[in-house]
Amino acid sequence: MNRAGLFVQRGPDAGFVPALIAACADLHQSAGPLRVLFLYGDAARAADLLQVAAADRAAYAALLQACRDAGGSTLVCQTALEKLGIAVSPELPLSVGSLGQWFDLLHDLDAVASLSP
């Protein structure tokens, strides 16, 4: 079975959640189940649920939880969080990780896509 990863750099603007959902669906269809989603750089702002559009918050949390429930990892870059001065919202199923951790996970993936600005 193929396993996919998604590297997200796009910040949580108005179209963030629909673009994230579409990228996950496309990747799942073309490459298999999403095994890791990594929020990096400006995307780390989405670790603070208040920075995600109010209308999209439930869908965003549900997407992260679905990834976790399927055995995937949902990570946010610790360095980006520190630079932005934010913390992970407790209601989000996100773990704090590092770029090095992302690179380590690449060995287990068959396909990788990115969501950039």
Side-chain angles (χ1 to χ4, degrees):
M1 176 189 308
N2 289 340
R3 291 170 288 203
L6 183 61
F7 188 84
V8 183
Q9 293 179 301
R10 179 179 177 169
D13 58 18
F16 173 74
V17 173
L20 185 61
I21 290 170
C24 288
D26 289 347
L27 193 56
H28 182 83
Q29 186 173 17
S30 66
L34 189 63
R35 302 305 299 159
V36 61
L37 182 143
F38 188 71
L39 301 176
Y40 181 76
D42 198 39
R45 290 188 306 119
D48 176 359
L49 194 55
L50 295 178
Q51 295 200 34
V52 175
D56 293 334
R57 289 177 188 157
Y60 175 59
L63 174 69
L64 294 176
Q65 189 61 54
C67 182
R68 280 273 181 101
D69 290 346
S73 298
T74 53
L75 303 170
V76 59
C77 180
Q78 179 178 1
T79 303
L81 289 174
E82 290 172 3
K83 285 182 180 179
L84 294 167
I86 61 174
V88 176
S89 294
E91 61 271 29
L92 290 178
L94 284 168
S95 298
V96 177
S98 68
L99 193 54
Q101 199 172 355
W102 163 256
F103 286 126
D104 287 343
L105 292 168
L106 288 175
H107 298 287
D108 295 329
L109 302 177
D110 300 305
V112 175
S114 67
L115 181 60
S116 300

